[in-house]
Every structure is written in structure tokens, then in C-alpha cells.
Amino acid sequence: MKPIHTIQRRKSRQIFVGDVAIGGDAPISVQSMTNTETTNVKATVAQIQAIQNAGADLVRVSVPTMDAAEAFKAIKKQVNIPLITDIHFDYKIALKVAEYGADCLRINPGNIGREDRIREVVASAIDHNIPIRIGVNAGSLEKDLQKKYTESTPEAMVESAFRHIDILDKLNFDNFKISLKASEIFMTVFAYQQLASQIDNPLHLGITEAGSLRSGTVKSSIGLGLLLSEGIGDTIRVSLASDPVDEVRVGFDILKSLNLRQKGVNLIACPSCSRQKFDVIKVVNELESRLEDITEPIDVAVIGCVVNGPGEAKAVSVGLTGGEPNLLYLDGKTHSKITNENLVDELEAQVRNQLKNKTQIA
């Protein structure tokens, strides 16, 4: 299905996190964060691999202690996706994980401490050719900014960001990206809009502490959707109180909905009503679960009746229209009649066959 609108992305400089390009003309990357104890190497590696298998481009790992830094060394050797290390306060941890192969340091220069410590971290980032992410969060603004603005505001977040930016600028370090996160949608959106117009560094988007799988998905979709539709954003994380794999799936669904990334199955389905000729909800849920491993882009439509079914089915690679009989469409053309008994099996087989044929042609 061809999009009728193309989003013009904000022009930003490009940096690299491992081999993943961020900014410039690179695709908007999707990342998640582990929630295992980092010192539990086996569990953390398993979760990183699950996040990667879900399609993530990057994974962030919290490193709160030196023991966690030592565990990170072992973790890094067992995975092949770029890892961002999340560090606060202790500059020695940043130095250690840089030595151990971190692909990006997520820090706030201002909370690392004295200028000499900041210089050491930046020098290490330069030596190891790794970027820094400045992460501003509405819930942890500097005390003087809290006093100045009396509460968290977009302006306070932007001022905090520029404090950190100024530190890096004085050290002639421009290999960084920035995030400005709040749990309130419009505070986040307004902060990013203000900063995006003043700098050209890549921006990492997120609505922090968005909530549960359902409510967090809604908040993130609205907030990130507003920014992405304006062309703002180079990498995203959907922050959910849920399995990190869910964050990746929701992130890609947001990007696919805006035609900013084409990865995996784009499933079009009707909400179902009494006109349906098969159990649409059951078929869609089972089909979606079966096709989670697919990373190649493909459009699939599952429509329960003939009101909108033929029109939707003709616009996708694989389409199903409920009727008497149900009709299967391939590449916009009627292919065959299909019974209710084997709907999911037949649809899955046709999707995989279409992808196989496209690969052979390519």
C-alpha cells in the first residue's frame, strides 16, 4: 500500500553506535533496555538476544556498579548487537566499560563530578571512538533549575540539556546525541521541538516511564508520533513496564504506521462485526503470533466481509476477504477460495511463500 505522504526528516549530523548509523539519512533505529540484574550475565545475555531477535537495532544496559562493569565485559563478548551503557555519578565505571567495548556511554556530564573527571570520560570516548548520549529527564533536573522554574517545564529541560552540551563543546567533543524525556506527553514534545530547532545533533526520543503495555503504548504512540511526524527523531525507545521485547515491537509498529521503517509484517485487520464470515480476532491474533519472526517488510490484510475486504485485499501482498466463500488475494489478484478450517495455516504459508518468491526474484 503506497503512502500518500512522506515525512521530511530534520537534518541532523550522523554518528555511529557500533555499526549502526544514527542521524543523517540513516533509518530511525529502535532500541530497548535490559531489566535483568546486569551481574547475572546469563540472564542478561539471554534478554539481549531476545530483544535482538525481536528486531532491535541497539540495546541499553544499566551499569550501576563496578561489579556490573565486570559483568558487562563478559556480556559484551557473548552478543553481537551494539550495547549502550547507562551510567550515573561514578566516572570510573564509564572509563571501565569504555575499555571493555561499550558502543555508547549514556551519561550526564554534569552529574559525573569535577571537570577533570569529565575530561577523563570524554578523552576515553575519543580514544575508543564511541559516542555519548546526554540524557535529560524531567524527574531529575538540577536543583537550581527546579528552584528557578518551580516545576519541571520544557524550558527547564532544554536549559539542562545545554548545560551538558556546553561541557562537551568546551572539550571539542561533538560525537553525541541527546534525549529530553518526561512522562507528560506535551512537556516532552515541546522540549524536543525547542531543542531540535537549535542544534543539529541526533535526537533520541522517548516518553519516559510511560506506563503499562496498554497505557504506555498509547502515550508513547501519541508523543513519539507527534515528533516523528514533524521529522524529529533519529532513534527511539518505547519505555514500558513490560517485557523489553514489547518495547521493540511497539516501536516498530509506530515507525511502520508513519512509513518511516518497513520491517516485518504490516497487518491490516478489521475490528470485526456481525457481518464477519470467520472469527477475525482469533485469526489475526494467531497469525500475528506466528509471523513474529519475520523481519522482511510485507503487507497483509485480514478483513471479515466483502464491504471493505476486496479493496483492502487488492492493495497488499496477501489479503483475505470473508465471504461465501472466503477469497484469498495475492498481489492484488484473486488467487483461491479458502475455508474457515485452515485459515491461519493457509495465510501463514502464503505470506512465507510470497517472501520466498520476492527473495528469489531479488
Side-chain angles (χ1 to χ4, degrees), residues 135-192:
V136 175
N137 193 302
S140 57
L141 292 173
E142 295 89 330
K143 290 182 179 180
D144 65 313
L145 290 179
Q146 294 177 27
K147 183 176 181 180
K148 175 180 178 180
Y149 291 93
T150 69
E151 61 182 359
S152 297
T153 66
E155 292 74 21
M157 294 172 68
V158 171
E159 185 170 338
S160 176
F162 272 112
R163 287 185 178 181
H164 301 304
I165 292 170
D166 289 344
I167 292 171
L168 297 182
D169 281 347
K170 289 176 182 177
L171 297 173
N172 296 313
F173 186 84
D174 62 4
N175 188 17
F176 64 90
K177 54 181 177 170
I178 308 167
S179 66
L180 297 163
K181 296 185 180 182
S183 59
E184 206 283 324
I185 291 174
F186 288 106
M187 186 183 301
T188 304
V189 170
F190 295 158
Y192 275 112

Side-chain angles (χ1 to χ4, degrees), residues 289-345:
S289 176
R290 290 195 192 185
L291 300 178
E292 284 178 350
D293 63 299
I294 291 175
T295 57
E296 301 93 334
I298 185 168
D299 293 331
V300 178
V302 178
I303 311 297
C305 76
V306 296
V307 175
N308 295 320
E312 294 288 357
K314 290 176 182 178
V316 298
S317 294
V318 179
L320 173 66
T321 295
E324 297 175 345
N326 305 315
L327 290 178
L328 179 70
Y329 291 74
L330 298 181
D331 292 326
K333 298 179 181 179
T334 305
H335 178 267
S336 59
K337 299 174 184 179
I338 182 170
T339 64
N340 286 5
E341 286 74 22
N342 300 308
L343 277 183
V344 178
D345 290 341

Side-chain angles (χ1 to χ4, degrees), residues 25 95 248 278 296 307:
D25 60 356
L95 297 177
V248 178
F278 58 88
E296 301 93 334
V307 175

Side-chain angles (χ1 to χ4, degrees), residues 19-30:
D19 59 358
V20 176
I22 308 293
D25 60 356
I28 297 170
S29 60
V30 175

